[in-house]
Amino acid sequence: MPGIDECLLEAMTVNGARGAALIEWTSGLALGMAGEVRDEDPEATAAETAELARMAAEQRAFAALGPGGGKSGADDGADNGTDDGGDGGTNGGGNGDGRDREPAVEDVIITTRTCYHLLRFVDTAFDSGVFFYLWLDRREGNLALARLRLRDLCRGLALL
């Protein structure tokens, strides 16, 4: 399984990639960075991107829909006496016993006139709040292919 540096280098091979980072969204710290940095300030880039990821991950409006179209991890106002394993919307899915739980939000995509910004939440063995950030030049990059490559990179990433 590749580590952080290997995944960052692999991400930089995506067509149009200008920069990549692995960021812990609760603290805003970058675990690793490669390529260019917006505004020449890596700490500010990591913190600002983490703030965006945190806002998306914590919003109940983005909670995953469970089987049958019901909300998972969100309170629908009815108390039926069962515990659905929800945690206020930061994680959805799963079977209520803590296994097979995935973040409710998989990706956050921001488009500008010149760039694509892709944030992909990384599923880890521990509750870490880690996401992968990929910055693409819009003229050279293919957003769909970049999203697929980033998904595969995140699946294979070894975070210990």
Side-chain angles (χ1 to χ4, degrees):
M1 295 184 103
I4 294 171
D5 291 336
E6 292 85 5
C7 281
L8 290 170
L9 292 175
E10 182 68 24
M12 291 304 298
T13 67
V14 173
N15 285 343
R18 296 183 64 185
L22 189 70
I23 301 170
E24 202 277 321
W25 60 265
T26 56
S27 67
L29 295 176
L31 304 176
M33 294 183 129
E36 297 178 40
V37 178
R38 294 185 341 253
D39 302 327
E40 302 300 321
D41 186 355
E43 293 84 14
T45 297
E48 291 168 359
T49 308
E51 186 174 336
L52 176 65
R54 185 172 41 256
M55 287 188 316
E58 292 177 347
Q59 294 304 313
R60 294 176 67 120
F62 301 132
L65 293 177
K71 290 182 181 177
S72 177
D75 182 10
D76 63 2
D79 184 6
N80 60 7
T82 62
D83 179 13
D84 67 356
D87 63 352
T90 57
N91 285 328
N95 55 15
D97 66 0
R99 294 179 307 175
D100 300 325
R101 294 172 69 185
E102 297 177 3
V105 176
E106 290 180 341
D107 298 319
V108 175
I109 300 169
I110 306 291
T111 61
T112 67
R113 289 188 174 129
T114 60
C115 299
Y116 296 125
H117 301 273
L118 178 58
L119 287 65
R120 175 76 183 194
F121 290 88
V122 179
D123 188 25
T124 61
F126 53 95
D127 187 21
S128 64
V130 174
F131 69 95
F132 209 115
Y133 168 60
L134 183 61
W135 175 28
L136 299 168
D137 183 292
R138 190 170 180 150
R139 291 169 296 174
E140 299 173 23
N142 180 316
L143 184 57
L145 291 177
R147 186 172 177 253
L148 292 173
R149 292 274 306 275
L150 198 54
R151 179 200 63 197
D152 293 342
L153 282 172
C154 289
R155 283 182 180 162
L157 179 63
L159 290 177
L160 301 174

